[in-house]
Amino acid sequence: MTTRRKSQRGNAMVEFAIGWFVLWSLFSGVYQFGYAFYVYNVLQTSVAHAAQLGSRLTYDTASPASYTTAIKNMVVYGQTTAGSTGYLGLDTTMVTVTSNNPNTWNWNISVLLSNYPYKMLSPYIAG
């Protein structure tokens, strides 16, 4: 009887360690999954707001660079002017703005976010 108790002394610690590892892995995975959805939502919202802004800004054919810069800044900083830090490590080089001729009736603007560490593409077209 006494030999059996001596051989079972560490069982509770081993079971606790295994259970803790499994629970920690589960909670960590749920957190990472939720954070990925959060990041996707923030990126999608910032790109959508930039495309919406681009559809309302006046396009100056003499200076199209100021137009695209304002849209890129809206994606990265949340405002038309450059800020100090961007959302989630974004940079204006990661944003591509394309549009067809603004003098036509079917003028479209496309804002694309690429080269992000999550490898997400977020196209949004407003017209």
Side-chain angles (χ1 to χ4, degrees):
M1 186 82 127
T2 58
T3 58
R4 188 169 185 205
R5 283 188 194 154
K6 285 183 181 179
S7 66
Q8 293 180 354
R9 275 192 182 155
N11 283 352
M13 289 296 285
V14 171
E15 288 174 5
F16 175 77
I18 291 171
W20 178 256
F21 175 74
V22 169
L23 284 175
W24 181 258
S25 299
L26 181 72
F27 289 141
S28 178
V30 168
Y31 173 78
Q32 288 295 324
F33 193 68
Y35 186 71
F37 275 111
Y38 166 75
V39 168
Y40 181 78
N41 188 32
V42 167
L43 295 176
Q44 196 71 14
T45 303
S46 67
V47 169
H49 286 162
Q52 186 178 23
L53 173 76
S55 68
R56 293 188 171 128
L57 281 178
T58 55
Y59 185 82
D60 186 12
T61 54
S63 177
S66 63
Y67 176 79
T68 57
T69 301
I71 294 173
K72 287 181 179 184
N73 287 337
M74 185 66 176
V75 172
V76 175
Y77 305 110
Q79 57 191 11
T80 56
T81 58
S84 58
T85 58
Y87 293 136
L88 304 169
L90 287 176
D91 190 354
T92 55
T93 59
M94 298 175 182
V95 181
T96 306
V97 178
T98 57
S99 64
N100 63 350
N101 187 358
N103 297 325
T104 61
W105 66 272
N106 63 346
W107 178 38
N108 289 329
I109 177 171
S110 173
V111 180
L112 181 69
L113 179 61
S114 59
N115 298 328
Y116 193 68
Y118 283 100
K119 304 294 184 203
M120 279 201 257
L121 299 178
S122 302
Y124 191 86
I125 299 175

